[in-house]
Amino acid sequence: MNRLFGLLPKPSPMKAESRVYDLKERLDWGEPALSIVDIRDRSEFNQNHITGAISIPATQLLSEASKYFEIDRDIYVYGNTDDEAMAVAEQLKAAGFSNISILLYPAGRRRGMEGSRLPH
């Protein structure tokens, strides 16, 4: 966590790759200007997802992204694999979205099976 004017804590800036703890830090700080996008298919999303995430399957995200997000919106993307999330993030960047981060999970944890909450 960074410090504002060296005194007040503030969340770390968004990175191209973020850990769930980085996202939780921003949410705990109360930053509402971000979106969490689950790019898995809707049946997987319905089984389990991060609280607050929205379901837009990878096959639909690029065609629908401009309907849902401003071009400078902070968007965290996660899917079944880092490679899948990275490919979607690159497509969004190529379409002009500038603040995209791949949400990485600790080794050994399958995407979407992390429970509906971020770590404490």
Side-chain angles (χ1 to χ4, degrees):
M1 185 170 287
N2 297 324
R3 296 207 172 261
L4 182 63
F5 302 115
L7 302 172
L8 302 173
K10 68 174 187 169
S12 301
M14 186 174 185
K15 303 172 194 160
E17 295 181 351
S18 298
R19 302 169 305 140
V20 292
Y21 301 101
D22 299 326
L23 175 58
K24 182 178 183 316
E25 179 183 348
R26 289 192 66 192
L27 292 171
D28 286 348
W29 184 256
E31 288 196 26
L34 61 85
S35 296
I36 308 165
V37 180
D38 185 326
I39 60 170
R40 300 172 301 148
D41 66 49
R42 286 212 168 89
S43 63
E44 289 178 285
F45 176 85
N46 290 337
Q47 288 178 3
N48 206 348
H49 60 272
I50 294 173
T51 300
I54 58 173
S55 174
I56 307 177
T59 56
Q60 300 170 356
L61 182 57
L62 202 53
S63 64
E64 297 185 12
S66 62
K67 295 178 195 175
Y68 298 111
F69 310 116
E70 301 87 16
I71 206 82
D72 60 349
R73 177 100 175 158
D74 289 356
I75 302 171
Y76 289 85
V77 176
Y78 75 99
N80 283 319
T81 67
D82 292 340
D83 289 341
E84 178 184 32
M86 188 176 299
V88 168
E90 290 303 319
Q91 291 173 354
L92 287 170
K93 288 176 186 175
F97 291 88
S98 56
N99 300 326
I100 308 296
S101 182
I102 301 162
L103 192 55
L104 304 173
Y105 284 84
R109 294 186 72 178
R110 184 179 175 273
R111 300 221 180 268
M113 301 305 289
E114 67 285 344
S116 58
R117 294 187 199 112
L118 291 170
H120 301 299

